[in-house]
Amino acid sequence: MKISLLSIYPDIQSFGLRTISACLKKEGHEVDLFFLTREFRERFLDKTMDDLIRLTKDSDLVGISLMSNFWDNAIQITKKIKANHNIPVLWGGTHATVRPDECLDHADMVCIGESEEAVIELTRKMQKGEYYYDVKGMGFKTNEKKINNGHRPLPGSPGSMFKTLDEIPSPDYDYKNHYTLNTTDFVLNKNDGSITKMNLKHLASFDNVYMTQPTRGCPFACTFCVNNATLAMYPHQKPIRKRSVEHLINELLHVKENLPFVEKIKFDDDAFFLHSLDDMKELAKQYKEKIKLPLMITGATPSTLRRDKLDVLVDAGLSEMRMGIQTAGERTKVLYKRPHSNEEVEKAAIMVNDHKDKVTAWYDIILDSPWDTEEDSIETLMFLSKLPTPYKLTLFSLVFYPGTDLYKKAKADGIVKNDVDDIYRRHYHGCRPTYLNNLYFLLNDYVSIDIGISPKIMSLLVNKKIRSSKLNWSFFWMLKILYPLLKIFRSSQQLLKNIIKGDWDSIWKIIQIRKWYLRKKARVTYDISLGLKKLLNTFESRMAKK
């Protein structure tokens, strides 16, 4: 069979889709992977759609991976394919998992949950001309009737064809049969909308980071997270499944050999620190000997982070670590079902800060909960102001993803009225421009340069009496104006220190930051010129009408 798999996300990592592609290739199928990199608020150009129709005309199956935010773009592509081809369209990913019935309003079939095994069984039956509407872990639409065959065992658990995660092939990076949008400016990352064959230059232009997952599953059921929904789907199965050290290292060795642009490895899972200390030591030993690249880990939580595990990872090359805090407000922690105390979070932050010369710490925070009071938000701001610097905040605006407990609560409370407008078209980084939210962004500026905003100053900024007199804005803008000067001072200070120490790796990083700055500067200049051009065109069209 010839199968076309489509990633419609802004990046090209697509771990799940690449893994399914690898499974299908192992089955002997011809697979084309398309990376149609687009922000979910931007529709695809006609040129993109025309090229996609041309390149998929001989396919026997088209698969699209989507999260809830990419709903509109998935529909756009599906309608175009159905209008031009008689090819079944399969949807998968987190949205198809939590909303299979809704997805079948547009797709012919959906994958429910982790889908390697389901897709293998489906394509085997399709190739043999057998009845396939009974495949477990999938849903189908036939003669306007919808079929949901429920879930199948998770890969790496009893009952699955994959007894361990080691039996699943590594993600498909054989880019000879991969396609992407044709990049016309690698500085601005602009494309002309046409689809072209992928090459190393395209791969390198997106990122120099290779992402993989040492584990699958999450032990927590935080009410805002999709894991809240998926854990409920598999109540009798072990949620955490781990790959062996050998399997993981072999994947990374293959990456080093075949993707020379990769300069950093990212372990992007939810439960990395649940590995035993012995496994961690073995991984660190082999990573340090064979991989020798900076390592970023996202699967850290305050309750699973341990000093002995952290120390061996730092020795192996850990350079960045991301940990979810989400909130320090006691009421909000209960709402989110966050099991960590503020004392645990602070202890974990101190632990990471002990390695601040080698490790950049990232902490996740969620804003814009409609159930939060100002006191809840202030409680988090005051807590963050006490944590040791430097660190960086990733600030999210709360989105009520379908299937989660918070979605159900938001529906019951009348907060979500229209799922498409209130959820699918909302950006999880679209934080509201409130004063307290602005303080989070200001705090992030200061903690990232290892200065911070002291609890005393923060207490002045959030004080109700001072805010009622509007004096808080004087303090706020004073800090806002001082920040660029302090940032230059701290960067110069660090550069001088690195030159004296002869730390050329760190100096090189600063040069890389300069390249990033130049790209951002070019982007801003381009956006301004584009805006002026649009204004001019609007003015000319109005004048022409007169």
Side-chain angles (χ1 to χ4, degrees), residues 9 70 90 110 187 201-202 225 245 284 291 336 343 362 422 426 431:
Y9 308 128
F70 295 85
L90 164 68
V110 295
V187 174
K201 191 175 181 181
H202 286 118
C225 180
V245 171
I291 309 304
Y336 291 171
E343 290 74 21
W362 294 83
D422 297 341
R426 272 200 62 206
C431 302

Side-chain angles (χ1 to χ4, degrees), residues 218-228 231 269-271 298-305 322-346 348 362-366 369 372 380 383-384 394 396 398 405-406:
C218 180
F220 306 110
C222 303
T223 56
F224 54 81
C225 180
V226 70
N227 288 321
N228 177 245
L231 280 170
D269 57 4
D270 294 313
T298 64
T301 62
S303 60
T304 59
L305 189 64
R322 179 177 159 191
M323 181 170 71
I325 296 177
Q326 317 309 354
T327 182
E330 295 300 334
R331 288 177 64 258
T332 312
K333 278 191 288 184
V334 173
L335 178 69
Y336 291 171
K337 287 189 181 175
R338 295 294 290 171
H340 324 297
S341 69
N342 286 349
E343 290 74 21
E344 281 181 301
V345 174
E346 188 173 6
W362 294 83
Y363 302 141
D364 293 351
I365 297 293
I366 297 176
S369 169
D372 272 5
T380 302
F383 175 78
L384 292 173
T394 306
F396 296 92
L398 181 61
D405 287 348
L406 279 195

